Amino acid sequence: MNYRFKYLLRRVFRQADRFTLLNLSPMLIYITGLALLFIGFMTADDSTMVRVLYGAVGFMAAVWIFSMVILNKNEAYVKDSILKVNYIPLYLRILPTMIYQTIMFMVFITMYSAFTALFVDNWMMNIYSLLYYILLGVILVIPFTMLFLGVSMHVNTNKINPVLFVIVLLIVPVFYLPEQLPSVLENIFSLNPFYYVINGLQNNAIHQAWSVNRLPFDVLYVTQVAILYLWMFESYNKMKIQLYNEKNSMPES
């Protein structure tokens, strides 16, 4: 286990060694959002910027979740490294990207709150709720990464990635408030586990931390994730063999 831990630690802090632009692009987006947020607070009133903060956190959360899924496809296909005499296990290939991207996301979301505190009195993000929703997001991303890898063995996913990202943005409250939706549509969207995670991060960013009133949604989320994990455990062994052995298991250019 020691050599695997060393590999994990090394890869977490060397994300830019390969696929450099792709791996660093989420951080560039976070930096751009931070700069725009700072400029906004210098020019707009507080109430407007709190609304902008809500949307910005939602957008960055969508980038965080989507980037972990997309970037892990590249890592999963890399076959030029070994540990001992075996290929690096699939789960160990995807963990460094998830850890690195999650750390970057946490750092910048905390900075978003810190910048807001410079302009709005008594502003502080609930760190426990932040960690809770981030944990839920990481747990959710793992089976969707497996699903995306399975699809990528049969479809050129590079062609559909922009469309998928737009769909993600439309089904989570980034460009609108949940209350602005018709009640039927809001109830349908709330069934989406990504909606729950991203909306939780948004609410926490504007002083609405997790409370016991959200327990029914937590139960729904856990049920959905449990079903996804049952599928993942069933398909994992078959998928990792296909990724290692099939001649056409190569990243699309």
Side-chain angles (χ1 to χ4, degrees):
M1 289 299 294
N2 187 46
Y3 65 88
R4 294 189 178 189
F5 177 77
K6 288 181 179 179
Y7 168 83
L8 180 62
L9 193 63
R10 182 173 68 251
R11 286 303 311 151
V12 166
F13 295 102
R14 296 178 61 181
Q15 285 292 296
D17 283 3
R18 54 189 185 220
F19 312 113
T20 304
L21 182 59
L22 288 174
N23 282 325
L24 295 182
S25 56
M27 184 172 65
L28 297 177
I29 295 173
Y30 301 151
I31 293 173
T32 302
L34 188 64
L36 294 175
L37 195 65
F38 185 76
I39 294 171
F41 273 116
M42 297 289 290
T43 57
D45 60 272
D46 290 352
S47 60
T48 300
M49 288 313 300
V50 168
R51 171 67 183 89
V52 172
L53 174 66
Y54 180 89
V57 170
F59 182 83
M60 300 309 166
V63 170
W64 166 59
I65 288 175
F66 193 76
S67 65
M68 286 193 292
V69 175
I70 300 302
L71 296 176
N72 270 327
K73 187 198 73 172
N74 296 328
E75 293 295 335
Y77 278 109
V78 172
K79 296 185 178 182
D80 58 354
S81 299
I82 58 173
L83 286 179
K84 299 293 185 180
V85 295
N86 299 313
Y87 280 118
I88 299 169
L90 179 57
Y91 75 87
L92 197 57
R93 292 170 184 250
I94 69 175
L95 278 177
T97 298
M98 296 182 66
I99 294 173
Y100 177 80
Q101 294 300 334
T102 299
I103 290 173
M104 289 297 102
F105 176 71
M106 289 177 60
V107 167
F108 279 95
I109 291 301
T110 303
M111 291 178 67
Y112 284 16
S113 180
F115 267 49
T116 304
L118 294 176
F119 301 94
V120 182
D121 294 335
N122 301 317
W123 192 273
M124 185 175 293
M125 180 183 292
N126 187 301
I127 188 64
Y128 298 109
S129 290
L130 175 65
L131 293 175
Y132 175 68
Y133 287 115
I134 285 179
L135 176 62
L136 294 186
V138 170
I139 291 172
L140 180 62
V141 160
I142 294 172
F144 273 94
T145 297
M146 296 296 106
L147 177 62
F148 189 79
L149 287 174
V151 172
S152 69
M153 288 189 286
H154 308 286
V155 178
N156 186 343
T157 53
N158 285 344
K159 296 180 179 180
I160 63 174
N161 285 343
V163 177
L164 292 176
F165 185 60
V166 171
I167 293 174
V168 170
L169 292 179
L170 292 178
I171 61 177
V172 296
V174 172
F175 301 115
Y176 56 85
L177 295 172
E179 306 82 55
Q180 294 175 330
L181 296 173
S183 58
V184 174
L185 193 58
E186 182 182 357
N187 290 334
I188 293 174
F189 280 2
S190 64
L191 296 175
N192 171 18
F194 288 109
Y195 182 102
Y196 179 69
V197 172
I198 292 176
N199 188 232
L201 288 166
Q202 289 175 302
N203 289 334
N204 186 56
I206 59 171
H207 282 191
Q208 296 178 27
W210 183 92
S211 68
V212 293
N213 294 329
R214 300 200 63 139
L215 274 177
F217 298 99
D218 287 40
V219 172
L220 174 62
Y221 176 88
V222 170
T223 302
Q224 292 172 318
V225 170
I227 294 172
L228 289 171
Y229 271 82
L230 287 174
W231 166 83
M232 187 186 74
F233 290 141
E234 181 68 24
S235 61
Y236 175 77
N237 288 331
K238 179 180 178 181
M239 186 181 300
K240 70 179 182 182
I241 293 173
Q242 287 179 310
L243 283 170
Y244 294 159
N245 298 329
E246 286 190 4
K247 294 180 179 180
N248 61 352
S249 290
M250 295 294 291
E252 300 94 348
S253 58

